[in-house]
Amino acid sequence: MMLHIDAHGACAYFLIMKHDPILSGKRKPVNVSLDTGVVAFAREHGLNLSQVAEAALRVAIKSECEQQWRRENAASIERHNRWIEQNGIPLGDLPIL
């Protein structure tokens, strides 16, 4: 099965499949300005600044993807909820086995 993923689809795919489409396996050096107190505390406690920053960015990216998905699908979700309110849950009258 061929899966087409666009920029927005990548976010949904990431959320649904738990696959990380942003992972490249390569490292890129970057310059980041951080508060000196934060850096000192992190180093005193043996924290790897690169790993902590990358983990925080992944959390922020996931959050943004979730918010974007909710914005893009708000109308469909509202229509679905309204249909359920009017018609009930499909097959909801069947006994549970």
Side-chain angles (χ1 to χ4, degrees), residues 22 52-62:
I22 62 174
V52 172
E54 186 172 320
L57 283 169
R58 288 182 182 283
V59 169
I61 289 166
K62 182 177 184 268

Side-chain angles (χ1 to χ4, degrees), residues 16-60:
I16 294 168
M17 302 303 291
K18 306 297 186 219
H19 172 72
D20 191 346
I22 62 174
L23 183 64
S24 71
K26 299 176 185 174
R27 311 305 294 167
K28 177 167 179 62
V30 297
N31 292 323
V32 178
S33 298
L34 301 171
D35 182 275
T36 57
V38 171
V39 172
F41 189 87
R43 288 192 174 147
E44 286 173 14
H45 291 83
L47 296 174
N48 181 311
L49 293 174
S50 294
Q51 289 176 351
V52 172
E54 186 172 320
L57 283 169
R58 288 182 182 283
V59 169

